[in-house]
Amino acid sequence: MNSWCIGWVAQKDTERVLVLAATNRPFDLDEAVIRRLPRRLMVNLPDAPNRAKILKVILAKEDLAQDVDLESVASMIDGYSGSDLKNLCATAASRPIGDILEKEKKASEQTAASANGGPPPALSSSADLRPLNMDDFSYSHQQVCPSVSSESANMTQLLQWNDLYGEGVSRKKQSFSVKGAFGFICTMSS
């Protein structure tokens, strides 16, 4: 970090440098790193309106059926992270492909059963893909679980750390305890 900071000194006075860091384990950061990053913002799990916005971005190029209501989908997937939403959409998008593969398999079996030496069944194209529907999202909701629990120990530690060091926190002397991986308690004070 020191040699990296020395590189800043070499910059021209007219140039500005912005350092942006992200972690899901801020409580593992050294106090010196925390001091050098004066603004600390917690990005929590998205709420329903923000999940709907994320879904709109992820699904922007997908063909959606008329029955798809992204606000309804967003409300049924409480606690999902952005990564979870991406996995949910990928699982939903695989269903129409699975339908095509199933149809091709049945057509191939029927052709083999008739064994009349006729032409093989025509393969499907991307034009044959049906739009994603609400059933696809209901199915993917059953298959893709949230990767983080809002009641998990890690989330509790993140909220504690944010209360102690995060943006807009009063700088009163507080203590912060973390149960270590081996069962011992680490306490930090500000």
Side-chain angles (χ1 to χ4, degrees):
M1 178 105 170
N2 252 356
S3 61
W4 183 60
C5 290
I6 291 171
W8 286 0
V9 176
Q11 299 291 323
K12 296 178 183 176
D13 289 339
T14 58
E15 294 179 0
R16 297 187 59 135
V17 175
L18 172 68
V19 176
L20 180 66
T23 181
N24 59 354
R25 299 193 52 84
F27 34 82
D28 290 342
L29 293 176
D30 179 287
E31 291 283 338
V33 173
I34 294 170
R35 272 194 316 275
R36 286 177 175 88
L37 299 171
R39 305 254 345 242
R40 293 170 289 274
L41 306 170
M42 178 157 175
V43 179
N44 211 338
L45 292 172
D47 58 5
N50 285 317
R51 287 192 301 271
K53 290 176 186 176
I54 293 168
L55 287 170
K56 286 177 187 170
V57 169
I58 294 171
L59 297 167
K61 294 181 180 178
E62 295 295 329
D63 188 17
L64 301 177
Q66 293 292 328
D67 73 333
V68 174
D69 178 13
L70 294 181
E71 283 75 23
S72 293
V73 174
S75 66
M76 73 181 183
I77 52 177
D78 188 37
Y80 280 54
S81 68
S83 179
D84 297 333
L85 296 175
K86 183 179 174 188
N87 292 337
L88 180 96
C89 292
T91 301
S94 69
R95 295 240 328 182
I97 295 168
D99 291 349
I100 286 177
L101 293 175
E102 188 64 33
K103 286 178 188 174
E104 287 180 356
K105 181 179 175 185
K106 286 180 183 176
S108 176
E109 289 171 354
Q110 288 173 353
T111 303
S114 65
N116 61 3
L123 295 177
S124 301
S125 70
S126 61
D128 297 327
L129 277 176
R130 66 170 173 75
L132 296 177
N133 59 38
M134 282 301 282
D135 288 338
D136 297 326
F137 289 101
S138 295
Y139 171 82
S140 64
H141 179 240
Q142 294 171 358
Q143 301 301 311
V144 178
C145 297
S147 59
V148 176
S149 168
S150 58
E151 290 87 31
S152 72
N154 193 38
M155 197 59 143
T156 302
Q157 290 174 345
L158 286 170
L159 293 170
Q160 277 184 326
W161 193 91
N162 187 57
D163 289 343
L164 183 60
Y165 293 106
E167 185 79 8
V169 173
S170 67
R171 299 295 175 212
K172 296 178 185 174
K173 187 161 182 103
Q174 302 174 9
S175 67
F176 172 64
S177 297
V178 177
K179 184 170 182 172
F182 301 106
F184 56 89
I185 303 292
C186 304
T187 303
M188 300 186 311
S189 296
S190 59

